[in-house]
C-alpha cells in the first residue's frame, strides 16, 4: 500500500471506531482528525466531506466485513436453517467486532442517516439486500435438498431473521447485556424447527 492509501484507511478505521461508539451525527471531523493525528488538509485530501467519508466506511470497511460475516457462510450450506441459526448465534454471541453496548453498525447508520440521506440509504439497502438474497438462495437450496419444507418462502425467512436480528441488537444495546440475545435465539430455533 502507498502511504496515502495507508493514511486513508487509517482515517476510515479510526472514524468508524468513533462513529460506532458515539454515533455518526455526534462525531465531528475535528474529533476524527484528532484521533487519526492527520492534518485537516490530509483529511480533506482524502474526503471532501464527512458524508463522503461515511459512505466510504459503509462501502469499503463494512462491505468487506459484511461479506465475510453475513454472505460467505451461507454460500455453501448443506443445512440452511442450521447455518443461518449458527450465523446469527455467532454474530450475537461470539463476534468480538460487534459490541453489545453499541448495537449493529449497519442498523445504527440506517437509523441515523437513511431517513434523510439518499446515498446512505442506497448503500445500506445494498448491504441488507445482499444478506437477504444470500439467505433466500440458501433457503431455496435447502428446499431442493429436502432439508426445508417446500411451502417455506425464502423471502419471509430472510425478512423475519433480519428484522429480528436488528431488533434484538437494539434491545441488547438498551440493556447493555447479551442475555436478551438468548431469548431471541431460543425463539429463532423454535421457528426454524417448524420449517424442517
Amino acid at each position: 500500500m502507498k502511504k496515502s492509501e495507508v493514511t486513508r484507511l487509517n482515517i476510515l478505521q479510526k472514524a468508524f471506531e468513533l462513529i460506532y461508539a458515539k454515533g455518526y451525527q455526534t462525531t465531528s471531523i475535528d474529533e476524527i482528525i484528532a484521533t487519526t493525528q492527520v492534518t485537516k488538509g490530509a483529511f480533506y485530501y482524502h474526503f471532501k466531506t464527512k458524508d463522503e467519508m461515511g459512505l466510504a466506511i459503509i462501502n469499503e470497511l463494512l462491505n468487506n466485513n459484511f461479506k465475510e460475516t453475513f454472505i460467505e457462510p451461507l454460500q455453501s450450506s448443506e443445512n440452511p436453517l442450521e447455518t443461518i441459526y449458527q450465523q446469527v448465534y455467532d454474530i450475537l454471541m461470539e463476534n468480538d467486532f460487534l459490541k453489545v453496548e453499541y448495537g449493529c453498525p449497519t442498523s445504527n447508520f440506517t437509523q441515523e442517516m437513511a431517513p434523510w440521506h439518499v446515498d446512505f440509504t442506497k448503500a445500506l439497502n445494498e448491504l441488507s439486500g445482499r444478506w437477504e438474497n444470500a439467505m433466500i438462495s440458501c433457503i431455496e437450496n435447502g428446499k431442493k435438498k429436502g432439508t426445508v419444507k417446500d411451502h417455506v418462502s425464502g423471502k419471509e425467512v430472510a425478512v423475519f431473521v433480519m428484522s429480528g436480528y436488528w431488533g434484538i441488537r437494539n434491545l441488547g444495546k438498551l440493556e447493555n447485556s447479551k442475555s436478551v440475545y438468548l431469548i431471541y435465539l431460543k425463539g429463532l430455533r423454535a421457528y426454524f424447527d417448524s420449517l424442517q
Side-chain angles (χ1 to χ4, degrees):
M1 276 183 135
K2 295 177 184 174
K3 185 178 178 186
S4 66
E5 291 172 335
V6 171
T7 300
R8 185 178 188 282
L9 182 59
N10 181 47
I11 293 170
L12 289 176
Q13 289 172 333
K14 297 291 187 183
F16 170 78
E17 291 168 13
L18 281 172
I19 291 165
Y20 188 32
K22 295 181 56 180
Y24 181 79
Q25 295 185 40
T26 57
T27 301
S28 71
I29 290 176
D30 288 339
E31 287 176 288
I32 294 165
I33 289 168
T35 303
T36 57
Q37 299 179 338
V38 298
T39 65
K40 209 170 238 192
F43 178 89
Y44 285 109
Y45 171 78
H46 293 286
F47 307 103
K48 291 183 180 95
T49 64
K50 180 181 171 187
D51 287 351
E52 184 179 300
M53 180 210 61
L55 287 166
I57 288 172
I58 295 168
N59 291 325
E60 296 170 37
L61 292 186
L62 292 183
N63 194 24
N64 288 338
N65 183 272
F66 201 85
K67 183 179 177 188
E68 291 174 19
T69 307
F70 289 84
I71 308 302
E72 289 173 356
L74 303 178
Q75 291 180 329
S76 60
S77 172
E78 290 298 316
N79 186 338
L81 297 171
E82 186 56 36
T83 300
I84 295 169
Y85 176 84
Q86 194 60 51
Q87 177 188 55
V88 174
Y89 179 92
D90 290 345
I91 293 165
L92 292 174
M93 304 304 293
E94 306 292 336
N95 189 308
D96 293 331
F97 177 74
L98 301 172
K99 308 292 184 203
V100 65
E101 64 269 26
Y102 301 149
C104 171
T106 307
S107 177
N108 295 345
F109 266 122
T110 300
Q111 290 169 0
E112 278 197 87
M113 301 303 292
W116 60 275
H117 199 293
V118 173
D119 292 333
F120 276 80
T121 302
K122 182 180 174 187
L124 293 162
N125 195 38
E126 189 174 301
L127 276 184
S128 68
R130 287 176 57 213
W131 190 25
E132 180 181 322
N133 290 334
M135 269 195 277
I136 291 170
S137 294
C138 193
I139 293 296
E140 293 304 317
N141 287 336
K143 287 165 63 173
K144 290 174 189 169
K145 293 177 182 176
T147 58
V148 178
K149 291 178 181 175
D150 284 336
H151 73 277
V152 173
S153 163
K155 174 88 171 172
E156 286 177 17
V157 172
V159 169
F160 181 85
V161 170
M162 292 171 68
S163 60
Y165 168 74
W166 282 324
I168 206 64
R169 288 303 310 239
N170 284 329
L171 283 174
K173 184 163 59 169
L174 286 173
E175 295 184 16
N176 195 17
S177 170
K178 288 188 175 186
S179 61
V180 70
Y181 293 171
L182 296 172
I183 298 166
Y184 169 70
L185 289 165
K186 183 178 178 185
L188 185 63
R189 172 66 78 193
Y191 170 61
F192 280 178
D193 286 348
S194 75
L195 304 180
Q196 295 181 15

